[in-house]
Amino acid sequence: MLRQRVITALVLAALLIGILSFDDRLPWLLFLLAAGAFAAEEWAALGGHTAPARAGYALLTTLAGAALFAPLPARLLATPLLLLACVFWCAVVPLLLWKGWRIPRGLPFLAVGWLLILSTLCALARLWTHGVALLVASMAVIWVSDITAYFSGRAWGR
């Protein structure tokens, strides 16, 4: 399992370096849309949806992400979407964890997936406009926390 993770990380790191070496934003946005499609398919699988439903959800997520990258929707929707995601992570998630509640399957589960995936795509698209160094530093924080969580989980249980 660790070997597969390391190989995947190396391949994606090489791809990321290649994409971020362009001065044009388009390769980065296309990469984000592809990543969003994979994330959406995985989210729908976690929700117990069938393969056709997962593919449809991934397609709709990709189209919504592409619409968010257009200039006018990006200006109108990006900030409210990111604020809603912050409220979700800072208020809703702690409440869900504290009460032991789960997000209901079906449309509520898919809607939460859209909030999480689209806000992440939006944030990463915005970070690129502030410079590649800030983008990579922000992603490095996520990578370090993910790696730490993986090894902590392996060392001290689930």
Side-chain angles (χ1 to χ4, degrees):
M1 185 68 147
L2 181 59
R3 177 185 290 190
Q4 182 180 358
R5 286 174 180 255
V6 170
I7 291 169
T8 302
L10 291 173
V11 169
L12 289 176
L15 181 63
L16 184 66
I17 289 168
I19 288 169
L20 293 179
S21 66
F22 288 99
D23 285 337
D24 188 12
R25 188 175 177 210
L26 184 60
W28 176 241
L29 295 179
L30 293 174
F31 176 77
L32 289 179
L33 290 176
F38 283 114
E41 197 279 333
E42 184 68 22
W43 184 262
L46 287 172
H49 294 276
T50 63
R54 292 192 311 257
Y57 183 68
L59 177 63
L60 288 175
T61 303
T62 303
L63 293 174
L68 269 177
F69 294 158
L72 183 61
R75 273 186 270 140
L76 295 176
L77 299 175
T79 300
L81 177 63
L82 293 171
L83 288 173
L84 184 59
C86 285
V87 168
F88 179 80
W89 282 112
C90 295
V92 176
V93 169
L95 182 64
L96 290 171
L97 293 172
W98 180 52
K99 295 285 190 178
W101 295 339
R102 295 195 179 269
I103 300 167
R105 302 276 179 169
L107 288 179
F109 192 84
L110 295 177
V112 167
W114 260 27
L115 173 65
L116 301 179
I117 295 165
L118 294 176
S119 63
T120 301
L121 297 180
C122 186
L124 289 171
R126 275 191 163 188
L127 276 172
W128 188 91
T129 63
H130 295 288
V132 172
L134 179 63
L135 172 66
V136 172
S138 300
M139 292 176 70
V141 169
I142 296 167
W143 298 331
V144 168
S145 67
D146 187 52
I147 291 166
T148 303
Y150 175 78
F151 284 111
S152 298
R154 299 261 317 183
W156 295 295
R158 300 190 180 270

